[in-house]
Amino acid sequence: MDKAKYRRAFDSVSAPGDACVRVLDAVSRRPKGVRRNAAIVLCAVLILTCATALASGAAGQWLEAIISLNGRELPEANLQKINRICEGDGLRVTLDSVAGDGIHTYFLIDIEALDGQDLSNTDPETIPMEDSLFLDFLLELPSSSGYGARTLRIDDGSDPARAQFVLKVDFGVPRNGSRVYLTFHTLSRGYWRDRENGKEIYALEPVAEGEWTFSVLLDRNLDGVHYRIPDYDFDISISPLGLSINGVGCGRFGNGAYLLMNDGSTVHLIGRGYSSGKRNGVIYHELVSYEFGKVISPDSAVKLVADGNEFDLVPIR
Amino acid sequence: MSDSMKERALMEAIERHKHRVFRVAVSCLKRRQDAEDALQEVFIKFYRFAPEFRDDEHEKAWILRVTVNTCISMLRSPWRRLFAPLPENVPSPGTESQWMIDLVRSLPAKYSIPLHLHYYEDYSVREIASILNLSEGTVKSRLSRARKRLGELIEKEETLDG
């Protein structure tokens, strides 16, 4: 093997001319292709306040909602008050606040019908409140990072003109300080179709359709800690609420996986989620996230124990 | 470090190392698109972690280590394997260069990466062992097998051509 020949061959390989632009675009806070004009036209931002560590009023209810969803408490420092309103197409949509950490993030959304639409559960005996309304959304992130997300109605339906939702997002890559664009586009009601004919097909009908867009700078107070597992070449980001694994080849652990902390205690991994993204036109699923059963201190983790193996966690400096 | 300082450091690092990173990625990933993705991932990590370096050599070694780890992570992703590689060439002015690159890319990454670091980046066995977090013995063995395999491939190709 001729070393000079090898060098000549690889001398002919060059990085793409727009490499710098691509990377800067990926790390910038504005994702590609966002409809800036549409966002400006459609979203009447009435109030813009950004503050952290607020835990009163609606924010307090928000925390309660999270606690009831997950059965655990969040540090107040991880609450970001947003309070932005976007009106149009018969709805006033309020992005009230964001809570969580850089990996597991919860958005609290208030919906108010402006044109007399009834948002209450029309069939409370057979349809659970959380399944009575569905809020569709599009979340745009910088770069090609993946995420897993879902919305859930959390109010009790006592006000027929209002509904409250939580959008829970698991980011594959921690999102501290990232700007994300969140667009809600359809509010649908669940109902039994053809029930009178005995078929009972659960279907959705639109209550309102439009585009309610928000631009949010995620400002997490508690950062994650990045670890690497030697010899396995995948990175793990551990946050107070969970962990995400980038490079999933070795990351799908069986049940019973847990973290060993530096005080000898253990923290079990629960609630596995897959995150997806699109890369060069191909949808991929290669980020996996887990939640913990309690809030932890991320820098106290020393080992990951999974499927009978112990993996040392080496912080990435 | 402020965001603007981080961006400036990032741009300088991209200019210094983009071809180096891309060549390592091309040497072990089968598709140009994957190599481009790897390049992007490496510099996103650079930006995210904003590492401090003792000197240029330390920075180069960090970049190469992250590149190698990124490429290996991409190769190990089971989802990636669902998509068959497309027949696609890297830009290359000469047939012989293209042929050589294709041969190197046909090697398993555990051989092509140390080979590239040794042949192109001029790293010693000890330095490669440090970058790849392997023992020197393992690096020696992989380099030897890489040369042997490459030699066999060249011989096979030449036989077919002849």
Side-chain angles (χ1 to χ4, degrees), chain A residues 243 251-260 265-272 290-293 303-311:
Chain A
L243 64 81
R252 289 180 182 166
F253 307 127
N255 292 330
Y258 61 90
L259 288 181
L260 186 62
S265 64
T266 58
V267 177
H268 284 274
L269 275 54
I270 59 175
R272 182 171 61 188
Y290 293 83
E291 292 178 67
F292 303 137
K303 281 181 193 292
L304 171 65
V305 184
D307 300 328
N309 299 307
E310 287 193 2
F311 304 97

Side-chain angles (χ1 to χ4, degrees), chain A residues 70 72 103-104 106 150 168 170 241-244 253-257 268-275 288-293:
Chain A
N70 297 279
R72 58 216 160 107
I103 298 175
H104 301 277
Y106 305 83
R150 66 188 172 97
K168 179 182 180 235
D170 296 334
L241 298 178
L243 64 81
S244 72
F253 307 127
N255 292 330
H268 284 274
L269 275 54
I270 59 175
R272 182 171 61 188
Y274 295 93
S275 297
V288 175
S289 63
Y290 293 83
E291 292 178 67
F292 303 137

Side-chain angles (χ1 to χ4, degrees), chain A residues 7 11 233 252 279 285, chain B residues 3 37 69 73 76 79 120:
Chain A
R7 289 191 67 88
D11 276 341
D233 297 307
R252 289 180 182 166
R279 181 177 284 164
H285 311 266
Chain B
D3 281 353
D37 283 348
N69 289 338
S73 290
R76 281 184 175 166
W79 289 96
Y120 196 86

